[in-house]
Amino acid sequence: MSVQALHAPEVDAPPDARRIDVRGLCKTFQLAGTAIEAVRDVSFNVRRGEFVALLGPSGSGKSTVLNMIATLLKPTSGQILIDGVPVIHGRATPNVGYVFQRDTLFPWRTVADNIGYGLELAGVPVAERKDRVNACLKQAGLEGFGNAYPSALSGGMRQRAALMRTLVVEPQVLLMDEPFGALDTHTKIDMHDVLLRIWEREQQTVLFVTHDLGEALTLADRIILFSARPGRIKESFEVDFARPRNAVKIRETPRYAELFQLIWHSLGEEFIKGRKP
Amino acid sequence: MRRARHAGRTFAWQMLICICFLAIWQWGYALHDRLPWLVPDLLDPYFISRPSDIFEHFLILSCLKSKLGVFNGWFNGEFARCMARSENNLWIATAVTLKNTFFGFVTGVSSGFAAGLVLGRSDKLSAIFQPFITAVNSIPRIALAPIIVLAFGIGDTSKVVTSWIVVVFLVFFNTFEGARSIDEGFINAARLLGASEWQITRTVVIPSTMAWVFASLTPAISFALIGVIVGEFIGAERGIGRLIIESEARAEASGMMVAVVVLMLVGVALSALIWRLQAYLLRWQQHNLAE
Ligand SMILES: Nc1ncnc2c1ncn2[C@@H]1O[C@H](COP(=O)(O)OP(=O)(O)OP(=O)(O)O)[C@@H](O)[C@H]1O
Ligand SMILES: [Mg+2]
């Protein structure tokens, strides 16, 4: 297959296969009297069980788009449907989990209590909660840290705990905003493997925001490339590595280098544009 | 090891300071005639009493000794008779003052906390009440004590109200600041995990304002005690403040000093209680300091 053939046009999945459906999304912020256009007319959709990465330079409106989908921000215009139902600003959509760009573990709860938080809210009985939390601790390699407070954990461990806090309630849609952005390269690749294993088993629909091309290539089925501000969709690429993937090995294949180079060029243009005022 | 030795040395110094202080207090004035330039007039036991007199007076006020200096036997009923006779003996006075302090503190903290949370979480309400709060806060609350005694009488109610009014603002402002400064990220995280408004308040807002609230509780307990004592100064039948006023009327420094020492002990005990509670409730903050 040639590299060019990978340019996927914005093919629409049939409506009943669309888990996340975004149409004509715009967002303009008012900041001290001036209007900042962060997102301009963004439309895309994510199929059931698909892993899509939103890639773009800093300030290109990736978080803004994700936050609108997560109901944290109100779109200026446009429509967001999850499983065909419009989302409502300020009201959490059931079955949708969100992993933050920033560490938001509750410092006053132990790691186990942080992970069990969603279950506690849902009124899951203590015994069952304990089992599920323990399973999560094990999966995240955090055995023995259940009773520690987040302040006693390293950055990578905290991010794993944060991931588990979202996953414990078994959401079918996962919105992730640069969840590994603050980690060093090796820890990051470890986390990719953790996430890949979970995703291969659970097959959630994932929308993953990142500005790290390597990360997007490792994880995603499809990469949506954002332009510099105002954020628009510039291009879209299918990533056809076989699954299950290995986060380390995949980086050593010629195919990876080929794709990397192709997208890198396009992304680089946007980084340069983004730097100009 | 080193830390233990360090702590031991600190304690030795503390004991030494205590002993010097008490010794000067007890015997210092004896040097007044010989060294008038060294010993100030203020050291006169007429004003500040002396430790032995204070202890003696403590025994009398607490009905352990009769006014003539004889020990009241426990079994001949002398102690019980004294307790019944003097309606403001040290035990009753302490109990009354403690009780009023407790109620003033509890009502002050709970109402200040509730108001701080509500206003702190609502931009609309805090905008409306802002000027009133600033205005009321600029009144030195203790100046209201005579009015409160006038309005509520010389019974316990006026003491609780005085105490409440000095505590409530302190706790209110701290809670308010705490509620304002909550990290929105925590609230969003909770909301996206399906928390209702009430669950957010209970599991995010309250725990994250706790550190702020506790910062106000140690001063609040002192303020509560001050409120009660001032109330008792102005008009009361019982209480430690009343005891001080009575001794003052008789120009009895040792009686006043007994009351002051008891107040100090009460204050220390109450603060220690708050510390224990804080160490437990905010154990997540201490955690990284432990090891
Ligand atoms: N609350 C806000 N008020 C005003 N402007 C905002 C606000 N949030 C975001 N913006 C602006 O919108 C633009 C897009 O921001 P956004 O956070 O979505 O970028 P991003 O692509 O996630 O960047 P990064 O990779 O650095 O996280 C930025 O230029 C930013 O200044
Ligand atoms: Mg962002």
Side-chain angles (χ1 to χ4, degrees):
Chain A
M1 206 191 297
S2 82
V3 164
Q4 289 308 315
L6 289 168
H7 280 250
E10 221 6 79
V11 275
D12 276 343
D16 57 330
R18 294 176 197 167
R19 185 126 241 185
I20 304 173
D21 196 351
V22 174
R23 297 179 194 161
L25 205 56
C26 297
K27 179 72 187 179
T28 305
F29 289 106
Q30 296 297 331
L31 195 67
T34 54
I36 297 175
E37 191 182 13
V39 175
R40 181 188 291 172
D41 190 25
V42 166
S43 302
F44 64 92
N45 52 66
V46 183
R47 288 191 305 276
R48 210 167 288 271
E50 193 181 17
F51 198 128
V52 170
L54 286 185
L55 181 69
S58 187
S60 59
K62 308 179 296 291
S63 296
T64 306
V65 167
L66 202 71
N67 288 341
M68 287 191 281
I69 298 172
T71 73
L72 292 175
L73 276 177
K74 199 176 160 74
T76 308
S77 65
Q79 221 186 359
I80 299 161
L81 306 167
I82 289 188
D83 285 330
V85 182
V87 303
I88 302 161
H89 168 64
R91 193 174 307 168
T93 317
N95 276 325
V96 176
Y98 189 103
V99 184
F100 286 82
Q101 182 165 10
R102 215 156 51 72
D103 180 13
T104 58
L105 286 178
F106 304 124
W108 55 86
R109 283 176 170 253
T110 61
V111 172
D113 286 346
N114 261 291
I115 295 177
Y117 182 72
L119 300 175
E120 196 180 312
L121 293 177
V124 173
V126 180
E128 186 192 338
R129 204 155 79 202
K130 214 168 160 185
D131 288 345
R132 284 169 72 176
V133 167
N134 282 338
C136 282
L137 284 170
K138 192 161 171 221
Q139 201 170 50
L142 290 169
E143 291 128 312
F145 287 95
N147 291 324
Y149 286 94
S151 54
L153 266 54
S154 74
M157 291 159 92
R158 288 156 80 111
Q159 209 49 38
R160 288 202 293 267
L163 184 61
M164 286 304 154
R165 182 178 66 176
T166 304
L167 290 178
V168 74
V169 291
E170 295 172 356
Q172 270 127 52
V173 177
L174 264 183
L175 307 175
M176 309 180 85
D177 190 357
E178 300 192 40
F180 314 134
L183 306 179
D184 68 85
T185 318
H186 293 279
T187 316
K188 204 176 196 175
I189 293 173
D190 276 348
M191 293 299 299
H192 292 161
D193 263 330
V194 171
L195 182 59
L196 281 171
R197 294 299 86 76
I198 292 167
W199 180 81
E200 279 153 10
R201 203 181 55 237
E202 309 283 338
Q203 295 283 313
Q204 299 101 332
T205 305
V206 184
L207 190 57
F208 189 104
V209 163
T210 179
H211 56 233
D212 178 343
L213 174 53
E215 181 168 68
L217 282 173
T218 308
L219 298 172
D221 295 319
R222 185 152 59 98
I223 295 175
I224 296 177
L225 184 60
F226 265 51
S227 69
R229 208 182 61 183
R232 277 150 303 161
I233 295 179
K234 188 184 179 196
E235 271 176 289
S236 172
F237 305 88
E238 294 288 338
V239 182
D240 56 355
F241 295 118
R243 298 201 185 255
R245 294 180 186 172
N246 176 311
V248 180
K249 294 231 174 83
I250 209 173
R251 288 179 182 247
E252 291 157 1
T253 61
R255 184 87 187 105
Y256 180 90
E258 202 177 354
L259 279 175
F260 196 96
Q261 204 174 17
L262 169 73
I263 306 176
W264 181 254
H265 184 71
S266 190
L267 180 62
E269 283 174 5
E270 298 310 316
F271 267 101
I272 291 163
K273 268 192 235 158
R275 227 174 285 143
K276 287 176 191 143
Chain B
M1 265 305 273
R2 259 186 74 180
R3 189 175 283 181
R5 193 167 345 136
H6 192 72
R9 201 172 294 171
T10 307
F11 184 70
W13 273 107
Q14 287 164 341
M15 289 318 290
L16 189 68
I17 290 170
C18 272
I19 290 166
C20 288
F21 179 76
L22 291 175
I24 293 171
W25 194 357
Q26 179 71 28
W27 294 295
Y29 198 70
L31 298 174
H32 185 261
D33 287 342
R34 242 175 299 161
L35 304 166
W37 48 272
L38 182 69
V39 183
D41 290 340
L42 193 68
L43 232 48
D44 190 339
Y46 179 78
F47 302 124
I48 60 163
S49 188
R50 58 159 65 105
S52 59
D53 290 352
I54 295 170
F55 186 65
E56 190 72 8
H57 220 97
F58 164 76
L59 294 176
I60 294 170
L61 281 176
S62 55
C63 278
L64 296 171
K65 227 174 181 184
S66 77
K67 294 226 164 67
L68 302 168
V70 187
F71 273 102
N72 285 337
W74 287 99
F75 303 109
N76 59 12
E78 206 43 57
F79 177 73
R81 235 164 294 154
C82 168
M83 285 290 284
R85 183 160 13 93
S86 70
E87 64 289 350
N88 196 26
N89 66 58
L90 195 56
W91 303 103
I92 294 179
T94 309
V96 166
T97 299
L98 261 183
K99 189 195 75 180
N100 292 340
T101 303
F102 175 77
F103 283 121
F105 179 75
V106 168
T107 53
V109 168
S110 44
S111 54
F113 180 64
L117 271 192
V118 171
L119 293 200
R121 294 305 302 158
S122 158
D123 290 332
K124 224 180 282 170
L125 287 181
S126 70
I128 294 173
F129 284 100
Q130 182 70 49
F132 302 113
I133 293 164
T134 314
V136 177
N137 189 42
S138 339
I139 304 171
R141 255 91 59 204
I142 215 74
L144 298 172
I147 301 170
I148 293 169
V149 173
L150 196 64
F152 292 91
I154 59 169
D156 290 347
T157 317
S158 60
K159 317 301 174 294
V160 174
V161 174
T162 315
S163 178
W164 170 78
I165 212 163
V166 291
V167 169
V168 68
F169 277 90
L170 188 71
V171 176
F172 168 80
F173 280 109
N174 267 51
T175 313
F176 183 79
E177 275 311 312
R180 297 251 97 176
S181 60
I182 295 179
D183 188 337
E184 281 300 315
F186 292 144
I187 291 180
N188 286 336
R191 177 168 290 136
L192 292 180
L193 282 162
S196 64
E197 279 308 313
W198 165 240
Q199 283 174 321
I200 289 175
T201 305
R202 196 167 52 79
T203 60
V204 178
V205 176
I206 291 180
S208 52
T209 40
M210 262 310 145
W212 288 81
V213 175
F214 267 103
S216 71
L217 290 193
T218 315
I221 198 93
S222 319
F223 275 40
L225 202 52
I226 292 171
V228 171
I229 296 296
V230 170
E232 288 172 354
F233 280 174
I234 290 164
E237 284 166 334
R238 298 175 310 171
I240 296 182
R242 168 76 195 172
L243 211 60
I244 294 177
I245 295 289
E246 282 170 358
S247 302
E248 199 246 343
R250 292 197 296 268
E252 240 170 27
S254 47
M256 289 191 265
M257 280 298 176
V258 169
V260 169
V261 171
V262 169
L263 283 178
M264 183 184 78
L265 296 179
V266 165
V268 168
L270 293 176
S271 300
L273 219 63
I274 302 263
W275 271 96
R276 293 295 292 272
L277 192 66
Q278 174 170 11
Y280 175 73
L281 283 177
L282 298 184
R283 58 193 178 284
W284 58 273
Q285 283 190 328
Q286 259 93 45
H287 193 80
N288 36 0
L289 301 177
E291 280 317 306

